[in-house]
Structures are given as C-alpha cells and as structure tokens.
Amino acid sequence: MPITADAREMQTDLARLRHELHREPEIGLALPRTQEKVLKALDGLPYEITLGQDTTSVTAVLRGQGSGTEAGSRPAVLLRADMDGLPVQEKTGVDYTSRTDGAMHACGHDLHTAMLAGAATLLAERRHQLAGDVVLMFQPGEEGFDGASHMIREGVLDAAGRRVDAAYGMHVFSALEPHGTFCTKPGVMLSSSDGLVVTVLGAGGHGSAPHSAKDPVTAAAEMVTALQVMITRQFNMFDPVVLSVGVLQAGTKRNIIPETARIEATIRTFSEEARQKMMDAVPRLLKGIAAAHGLEVDVDYQQEYPLTITDEDETHTAENVIAGLFGDSRLSRWATPLSGSEDFSRVLAEVPGTFIGLSAVPRDADHATSAFNHSPYATFDDGVLADGAALYAELAISRLAALAAADAPAAANTVAAASALS
C-alpha cells in the first residue's frame, strides 16, 4: 500500500494524539506530560530511545534492515519535531482547547509532534526497506529556549553512531498559503533573531519639576523612534532589518518622574553582515541619545537564533519527494524568506538539510486573513496530519536509498582495490 494511504488510515489516531497534546501544552525545556505522550506513541516500536539529561527531549533511533553494513557505518537521516507551547491564552473555541491557563499550542508544535509520531510507525513498518538508520528528534524548548542546542550538545546528531548525513524539519502555518500547501526555499529561508533589552538610567523627581530630575521616559521615547529611523538611513532596503518594540515600561504614577525606563525589542535580520552591523549600530545610537540627555543607559544585545539556511540539494530532494507524493500543485517555492526564526537553524548549521512549511489553514478559511501563528486565535487543521507523517517517512526512506546507492560504487572500488593488492 502507498505510504500516503497507510498514513491516512492513521488519521484518526494522529488527530487523537494531537488533541491530547493540544489540551495539555507545556512551555520551555521541561515538558514531562508531553514526553510521556511521545513515549506512549513509540511504545512497542523497534526504536532505541534516549531521553534528555538537561531537558525532556526524546531521541529515537530506528536501525534499517535494508543494508548489510554495520551500525555506525550506514547512512543516517534525522527528522525533527518541536514539542513546546507558548504563554498564550487560547481563544480559538475548538473543543480540544487548552486546559492549561495561560498556555497554548499557538504555533502548531502539537501537529509536528503527532506527525513525527505517525512517521515513526510508518518507518517501523518499512524497516526492511531502510538502507540506513533514522534518528527522530523530539525537541522541547524551541520557543526561545534554544532546545536544539541542548539536544545537539547531548549528541542527537550522532545518535545513530555516526553524524547524520541529512536532516529535515517541518513547520505548520495557520495562514500564508492555501490548505495543504508545502513550502520550500533554498538558501536563507528564515531570519536570524536577536533580543534587545535597554534600561535607561535617570533620576526620579516630581512631575511638576522635570528640571530637577533626569527624565528617562522622554529619552526612551526618543530611542524607540530613533531605532526605526536608523534602520532606514543606515541599512540597505534590499537587505532588510525588522525591529519591533514589544515592551516599553516606566513609572508608577502620572506625576512622578521615574528613575528608570525599560525597552525590550526583537530584531530580525536576513544576512550575517546586517546582523553584525546591528550589533554595533544599536548600542552606539542608544548611548549617544542617553549622553545627549545627561543619562546613562545599559544596552543588552542578546544573540538568539541564527539564520535558517537550507541546503540547495536537500531542498531539491524534498521538493521531488513532495511532488512525487502529492503532485506539483501542492508545492510552493518561496521567493523571499520569512521573518520568523527557528532553532532548527542550529541543526542546519551542522549538517545538510532543509526546512519545509506546511499550511494547516482550515479548509473553509481564507489563508490571506486567517490568524497567524502565535495568535490566541490561530487554528490549525487536523487534515494535514497524515500527509505530514507520510512526508516525514518518505523523506527518510528515499534519502537513505539515495545515500546507500551513492556509497555502493565507492565500497565496490575499495573491495576491488583490496583484492588487487592481495
């Protein structure tokens, strides 16, 4: 039976798992109930399972039986799903709404986890076809906790006994593209992400006598505007920079000048050159404004996730698999990157691979106006679960077959050379 048909027979089970995960979202690196659900889904399957030491990650290795080579010398492919939720109060109204106050799977990681669990079954059923090993990476802490770095440090990329040859990740969207569309882009696919925390240090006083104080509020307001102006004057518009202030805090009462003001912002860049330039330009600008007002300022520029850069060959491989399974009409190649960021970038910096978007917009919704990921109204359609599971599994099967075929001539030449020498 085709892998897509097998996956669709699992649709009810995949949706059930997804709903269980959605009802109990967990945030950060410690996801004990989520880990428990993943382990239950893998129970009885022939995987070698390793649990994280610093986190509740799950690494599962399936040894293929389609090759006679020893473990550690066979090709290996990694498939990744992130598992964590967000500190968002859900307002979707779905019947499996989050039961955890202040937490929601607003970015679709519950779908990723369910799809990879489904792929685990599909791959185990096809173990005899696998010309190598598959590493499943169930990762906590993608949403700002850098869970990928923890798993890399604990050896996920070498879990099969050797460094994986290719890595694939997938991410669902609740907007942007029509339902069921797979999205790819070779090269820079997602921006880098950095954090900016600024504390303006002044001197408090009475609001009626600002000359007797050092007002950090007016300086902070100027800084917010000046940051936007700086980007338009100092950075190439064809290598964009996005800076959004999400926190602006100061004071306790309208007639009191506070001692401090606080600014927090997110910064997105699409080249390493622009990222490095921002790291130099932002502190210089803010310190200059503070000095002009006779104030001090503390600038904490926090490097977070690097650019997500996909390998061109691996992206073509994924596109061919998508077209083979679902047809060309289901594939969209992006012309420009998305300004979201991902810690799967850590994996792609170590091994060749690619990242694939999948639209889970409800079938009856307008993808152009639907609430996007991270919104309390973001709604993801269960209908993509089977196709996502099938794609995960087929990526591993087909890529291992290609890797083994490429290795065969080299192995034959080595044997022939050894025979000639003997």
Side-chain angles (χ1 to χ4, degrees):
M1 185 180 292
I3 198 166
T4 51
D6 271 358
R8 285 165 189 153
E9 286 194 349
M10 301 168 57
Q11 173 65 26
T12 300
D13 291 337
L14 295 179
R16 183 183 300 112
L17 174 58
R18 185 252 163 151
H19 293 176
E20 290 173 357
L21 292 163
H22 194 91
R23 289 188 188 99
E24 287 193 282
E26 296 175 290
I27 297 169
L29 297 170
L31 320 175
R33 294 186 299 277
T34 303
Q35 183 189 62
E36 181 181 352
K37 292 178 179 67
V38 170
L39 293 174
K40 182 179 178 181
L42 297 177
D43 187 40
L45 300 178
Y47 284 85
E48 301 168 10
I49 294 176
T50 304
L51 304 183
Q53 299 172 19
D54 295 335
T55 74
T56 52
S57 65
V58 178
T59 300
V61 179
L62 180 65
R63 302 292 182 187
Q65 296 176 327
S67 173
T69 56
E70 294 296 323
S73 61
R74 292 190 295 259
V77 168
L78 180 143
L79 306 173
R80 177 269 204 163
D82 42 8
M83 306 186 293
D84 54 321
L86 282 159
V88 172
Q89 186 67 44
E90 183 162 3
K91 298 180 181 179
T92 62
V94 297
D95 58 8
Y96 48 90
T97 292
S98 169
R99 296 172 180 170
T100 304
D101 190 47
M104 175 189 174
H105 269 296
C107 204
H109 297 187
D110 50 334
L111 282 84
H112 305 164
T113 304
M115 291 189 298
L116 190 57
T121 297
L122 294 171
L123 289 166
E125 292 172 348
R126 290 161 175 79
R127 189 181 185 189
H128 62 285
Q129 298 178 18
L130 295 177
D133 302 328
V134 182
V135 179
L136 305 184
M137 177 181 178
F138 290 95
Q139 180 210 307
E142 189 278 328
E143 296 289 356
F145 294 87
D146 208 359
S149 286
H150 288 269
M151 293 193 72
I152 291 171
R153 186 167 57 252
E154 292 185 356
V156 68
L157 300 182
D158 303 294
R162 53 168 283 178
R163 180 59 53 106
V164 295
D165 298 277
Y168 302 101
M170 207 180 315
H171 205 299
V172 294
F173 301 114
S174 60
L176 299 181
E177 298 277 356
H179 173 91
T181 302
F182 291 94
C183 315
T184 62
K185 186 185 180 302
V188 176
M189 186 175 186
L190 301 174
S191 69
S192 64
S193 173
D194 294 322
L196 177 65
V197 179
V198 180
T199 305
V200 185
L201 307 169
H206 200 288
S208 66
H211 60 284
S212 299
K214 292 185 177 181
D215 187 358
V217 176
T218 51
E222 184 177 333
M223 289 174 182
V224 171
T225 301
L227 285 167
Q228 303 299 333
V229 174
M230 178 197 72
I231 290 170
T232 67
R233 301 298 93 184
Q234 297 185 34
F235 288 82
N236 187 336
M237 68 181 74
F238 298 107
D239 185 8
V241 174
V242 178
L243 186 151
S244 295
V245 173
V247 174
L248 184 57
Q249 294 176 336
T252 57
K253 191 173 174 64
R254 65 178 180 273
N255 65 344
I256 299 173
I257 294 173
E259 290 190 346
T260 64
R262 182 180 178 88
I263 302 166
E264 294 186 25
T266 184
I267 299 172
R268 310 298 170 117
T269 50
F270 297 87
S271 71
E272 194 57 35
E273 292 76 15
R275 190 183 198 191
Q276 292 299 321
K277 186 175 179 180
M278 281 293 286
M279 291 177 65
D280 295 333
V282 168
R284 182 176 67 241
L285 174 72
L286 299 184
K287 290 176 181 178
I289 293 172
H293 286 268
L295 307 176
E296 300 291 329
V297 65
D298 178 70
V299 181
D300 183 11
Y301 197 108
Q302 303 167 351
Q303 282 192 294
E304 294 172 346
Y305 295 163
L307 294 161
T308 299
I309 303 175
T310 67
D311 180 83
E312 186 168 352
D313 290 340
E314 295 296 346
T315 301
H316 291 327
T317 294
E319 290 171 340
N320 289 334
V321 172
I322 292 167
L325 289 177
F326 309 109
D328 291 331
S329 64
R330 294 276 300 276
L331 178 61
S332 173
R333 175 180 273 207
W334 288 345
T336 57
L338 193 67
S339 54
S341 304
E342 250 287 344
D343 69 352
F344 190 63
S345 56
R346 305 287 193 195
V347 174
L348 296 181
E350 297 286 336
V351 298
T354 196
F355 199 54
I356 302 160
L358 172 56
S359 175
V361 175
R363 292 179 186 275
D364 58 350
D366 181 357
H367 65 274
T369 59
S370 296
F372 191 48
N373 296 34
H374 288 218
S375 166
Y377 299 98
T379 305
F380 303 86
D381 195 326
D382 290 336
V384 302
L385 292 171
D387 286 353
L391 178 57
Y392 266 133
E394 186 59 31
L395 283 169
I397 293 167
S398 60
R399 192 67 185 101
L400 287 173
L403 287 164
D407 287 345
N413 290 337
T414 300
V415 171
S419 298
L421 289 173
S422 62

